[in-house]
Amino acid sequence: MDELYIDSVNHRYGDREVLSSVFLNCRVGEIVGLLGRNGSGKSTLLKIIFGETKPRFMHLKVDGRFTKKAYLSGKVAYLSQGFFIPHYLKISDLVNLYTNKYKNDLLTVSVIKGNLKEEIGNLSGGNRRLVEALLLIYSDAKYLLLDEPFSQLAPIIADELKSHIFKFGKEKGFIITDHYYQQILEISSRVVLITNGCNYTINGEDDLILNGYLPN
């Protein structure tokens, strides 16, 4: 089955239980929005799935195969909240490093095409964030974990990023978290809220109010 699946996730920071028996899945063709207040554990969950953080307990499967770290499958890419690519690397080298099947498509994107000879650290903060996201989206990864992809972007750049996510919306699976809940509601085919360590299905703003994420 084409699915990224994690179940029974339990994790603590000291005496504080952050995640308690959390379940999340994402199939190819889905854009799953993940919402939650600061400290709710949504970023921790993405790190657990990718393999950056070791939980107390979980079941994790990528396309039906159990694994302890999703990155070992070669099918999962993770965009962290902070910049993760060294500032001195050139865009042209990064395109060759990250992309294969979709390389020619990526080379037509203006922010890439116009900055091939530039070091990524010379870009503005918003364009640097956009380029890092594009390198992962246009990679061969089947599942994308995007942590706060819109938080540093001007609206016009955020809209461009969304267009690239939609472009691959049927070929890949996305799990996206962001504080800008309107962006998540707009882009997602399905939304999950993490609160009090558990996960809840969200069908609209009324459910966010009901579960205490938004004020009444």
Side-chain angles (χ1 to χ4, degrees):
M1 177 182 288
D2 292 332
E3 181 183 46
L4 177 62
Y5 172 98
I6 191 166
D7 195 6
S8 305
V9 186
N10 282 271
H11 190 63
R12 288 179 178 271
Y13 288 119
D15 294 332
R16 187 170 74 91
E17 187 172 57
V18 179
L19 299 171
S20 176
S21 299
V22 165
F23 161 79
L24 187 67
N25 71 318
C26 177
R27 299 182 179 92
V28 168
E30 281 193 311
I31 301 173
V32 180
L34 187 62
L35 292 175
R37 292 186 177 277
N38 285 338
S40 64
K42 58 188 186 298
S43 293
T44 297
L45 180 58
L46 295 189
K47 292 177 182 178
I48 288 171
I49 293 171
F50 188 65
E52 186 176 308
T53 296
K54 183 179 179 181
R56 295 182 68 207
F57 188 79
M58 70 168 180
H59 290 296
L60 174 63
K61 291 193 291 186
V62 180
D63 290 346
R65 293 192 174 188
F66 281 103
T67 183
K68 293 184 178 180
K69 300 178 179 181
Y71 76 82
L72 294 175
S73 70
K75 299 179 180 181
V76 181
Y78 167 58
L79 180 72
S80 59
Q81 287 189 20
F83 298 130
F84 69 93
I85 295 176
H87 66 89
Y88 54 83
L89 294 180
K90 288 186 177 180
I91 303 298
S92 57
D93 293 332
L94 291 168
V95 170
N96 290 328
L97 178 64
Y98 277 89
T99 64
N100 178 30
K101 181 179 178 181
Y102 305 106
K103 179 186 295 185
N104 290 335
D105 288 340
L106 181 58
L107 287 171
T108 67
V109 178
S110 59
V111 70
I112 299 292
K113 182 171 62 175
N115 292 287
L116 283 173
K117 296 182 180 180
E118 286 287 346
E119 296 178 356
I120 192 169
N122 291 336
L123 302 182
S124 67
N127 278 337
R128 183 175 178 181
R129 182 67 168 169
L130 175 61
V131 168
E132 286 194 341
L134 292 176
L135 289 168
L136 298 185
I137 292 169
Y138 281 79
S139 74
D140 286 350
K142 192 174 182 179
Y143 303 100
L144 285 303
L145 312 175
L146 307 183
D147 195 357
E148 303 283 346
F150 305 113
S151 64
Q152 302 175 39
L153 303 185
I156 190 169
I157 300 178
D159 286 342
E160 180 177 353
L161 176 55
K162 282 186 280 188
S163 74
H164 293 285
I165 293 171
F166 283 132
K167 177 178 178 177
F168 287 94
K170 293 183 179 179
E171 297 180 47
K172 303 190 177 197
F174 290 83
I175 300 176
I176 306 176
T177 179
D178 210 279
H179 289 302
Y180 295 103
Y181 76 92
Q182 296 98 334
Q183 303 273 28
I184 294 296
L185 293 180
E186 176 186 338
I187 200 171
S188 301
S189 53
R190 181 162 58 86
V191 178
V192 175
L193 174 70
I194 295 182
T195 185
N196 298 321
C198 301
N199 55 283
Y200 300 88
T201 298
I202 299 298
N203 294 311
E205 290 194 15
D206 287 345
D207 286 343
L208 292 176
I209 294 171
L210 181 64
N211 286 282
Y213 181 79
L214 294 178
N216 192 336

